[in-house]
Amino acid sequence: MSTSWLNEVKWDEHGLVPVIAQDAASGEVLMFAWMNRDALERTAQGGEAIYWSRSRRKLWHKGEESGHTQKVLEMRIDCDNDVILIKIEQTGGIACHTGRRSCFYQRYDSESWQEVDPVLKDPKEIYK
Amino acid sequence: MSTSWLNEVKWDEHGLVPVIAQDAASGEVLMFAWMNRDALERTAQGGEAIYWSRSRRKLWHKGEESGHTQKVLEMRIDCDNDVILIKIEQTGGIACHTGRRSCFYQRYDSESWQEVDPVLKDPKEIYK
């Protein structure tokens, strides 16, 4: 296994890289998270998104509790090699822990953030 | 002017928030950058993307040198209030300093990052 592609990533001072998860079919931005080197390597190997949870300080296989795993169809890196974009198929059509399709459900309007997208499934049903 | 919406943003330890810039029409993710409170307020007021340049440590009105400004049509914030997504019209159709449409022009393939998108304009022509 070559790991030179992992060395090309410019990890931040915490050893992390920001990751944007985009729906491969619709183009909708579903969520934003972080990966460390191990998470990125496992994501590439396994084909499902594995992040680094900064709050829990451990690897986080997205969907391990909710079942809402993310199949990774494509990975890209930006011009500075310090941000990753993954194009995914979102199992269950729900990426957000609030039960919404996307985490970006609050829209700026008239100097406030308004919730504009519906909850598709009660989080109590997702995380039971 | 109400600033409570700015207070709702969870700024990181450097007073910054990550920002994803997405083409409003095509859905393509064009770039990723950072804003501080001042940058976000000015972006909301002026309707063009203003970022915080971490390398130059100053406000950066995107396009101030290249002319490739970004008209902001919509701003969203995520479930944790710590990531912003802006939907933009990209002037000139070029967001990347390399002269490409998007900064995410390197695709992972067989354990390497491959440049897969064309340079639309020579950076020497953009930044002259």
Side-chain angles (χ1 to χ4, degrees), chain B residues 66-79:
Chain B
S66 63
H68 296 154
T69 52
Q70 297 178 333
K71 184 177 177 187
V72 179
L73 303 186
E74 187 175 310
M75 299 201 301
R76 289 187 174 232
I77 196 163
D78 77 336
C79 48

Side-chain angles (χ1 to χ4, degrees), chain A:
Chain A
M1 297 289 294
S2 166
T3 55
S4 65
W5 69 280
L6 289 165
N7 295 335
E8 287 173 45
V9 178
K10 284 194 194 137
W11 306 98
D12 74 6
E13 71 271 31
H14 305 294
L16 302 176
V17 68
V19 180
I20 303 160
Q22 181 181 33
D23 186 286
S26 71
E28 191 175 3
V29 176
L30 298 181
M31 60 175 277
F32 173 93
W34 299 81
M35 289 185 187
N36 63 6
R37 185 184 170 105
D38 194 16
L40 180 57
E41 187 169 22
R42 287 171 189 245
T43 297
Q45 285 172 358
E48 289 196 349
I50 295 178
Y51 301 104
W52 174 257
S53 169
R54 295 186 304 169
S55 57
R56 291 179 288 162
R57 301 194 58 76
K58 64 173 190 174
L59 288 179
W60 162 39
H61 186 160
K62 169 68 180 169
E64 61 194 5
E65 286 184 63
S66 63
H68 296 154
T69 53
Q70 299 177 332
K71 183 177 177 185
V72 178
L73 304 186
E74 186 175 312
M75 299 202 300
R76 291 187 173 230
I77 197 164
D78 78 336
C79 48
D80 293 328
N81 283 12
D82 63 1
V83 184
I84 285 174
L85 171 68
I86 60 176
K87 302 194 182 186
I88 63 166
E89 274 180 25
Q90 178 61 60
T91 304
I94 294 175
C96 186
H97 75 287
T98 64
R100 293 178 176 86
R101 174 154 181 72
S102 163
C103 294
F104 295 92
Y105 59 84
Q106 302 176 95
R107 189 169 64 200
Y108 176 78
D109 186 29
S110 306
E111 302 188 336
S112 69
W113 301 105
Q114 304 284 343
E115 295 184 3
V116 292
D117 296 332
V119 173
L120 302 178
K121 191 171 180 181
D122 187 330
K124 285 195 288 261
E125 289 299 310
I126 299 175
Y127 302 96
K128 61 187 171 188

